[in-house]
Amino acid sequence: MSDEAARAGGAADEYEIVAGAIFRDGRLLLAQRIRPPELAGMWELPGGKVEAFETPQHALERELAEELGVVVRCGRRIGVDVALGRGRVLRAYRVDILAGEPAALDHAQLAWVDADDLEKFDMVVNDQAWIPDLLTELRRL
Ligand code: CDP
């Protein structure tokens, strides 16, 4: 198993990046990227890389504490696996906020969007694969 696969704890050569879908009052939290330059200004589900010896769930809880300043509990998967190349896979999980109010500690700004708004936001290409499932969830709420 490669070092990356060992870090991700997954199949050989698989390296996971995790992102959180936080729903509240019929809206979804989006975060606007500040880097790299080619993604700055585009919107994403906040998250990041799974580090050595972390579970994906723990990594997402850590990332959202760092990026949003909230205590969260990672829930079920939402949306498809997104293959990013070089063995990297991006996965989204539903997340519940246990404490705190999300703040843009590592993003330009945050937005709570409903089903009508979601398609108006310029989402990073990788995250666009999740839009159908996110819309289904928003319309169910
Ligand atoms: O916070 P960290 O540096 O661990 O991760 P990041 O730079 O936010 O994301 C790692 C990689 O995953 C980058 O290539 C991001 O573009 C990608 N990513 C993504 O495509 N969609 C997300 N919702 C989060 C990350």
Side-chain angles (χ1 to χ4, degrees):
M1 188 182 285
S2 72
D3 288 349
E4 286 195 348
R7 273 202 294 282
D13 299 325
E14 184 178 280
Y15 181 92
E16 188 164 346
I17 296 164
V18 290
I22 303 175
F23 295 99
R24 185 165 78 188
D25 300 332
R27 293 171 188 262
L28 169 71
L29 186 72
L30 296 184
Q32 189 180 35
R33 289 196 67 105
I34 54 177
R35 62 179 181 276
E38 61 271 22
L39 296 182
M42 299 183 78
W43 296 80
E44 67 175 5
L45 299 188
K49 303 180 200 87
V50 179
E51 301 287 355
F53 309 116
E54 272 184 324
T55 63
Q57 290 77 11
H58 181 254
L60 187 53
E61 291 167 1
R62 174 186 53 73
E63 286 283 349
L64 298 189
E66 291 170 3
E67 296 186 359
L68 304 177
V70 288
V71 180
V72 301
R73 181 176 50 215
C74 184
R76 286 178 292 126
R77 294 279 320 280
I78 184 167
V80 296
D81 289 9
V82 183
L84 300 186
R86 300 200 309 273
R88 296 172 306 155
V89 59
L90 174 66
R91 295 196 175 105
Y93 295 78
R94 289 178 179 76
V95 163
D96 290 320
I97 296 178
L98 301 181
E101 180 62 23
L105 304 180
D106 196 35
H107 288 89
Q109 57 181 327
L110 305 178
W112 289 99
V113 305
D114 63 19
D116 292 335
D117 290 339
L118 181 58
E119 287 170 297
K120 299 178 196 150
F121 279 72
D122 190 14
M123 294 276 280
V124 300
V125 171
N126 296 335
D127 294 27
Q128 289 178 16
W130 298 327
I131 288 177
D133 297 274
L134 295 170
L135 283 174
T136 299
E137 184 67 17
L138 284 168
R139 292 189 173 120
R140 212 175 56 83
L141 294 172

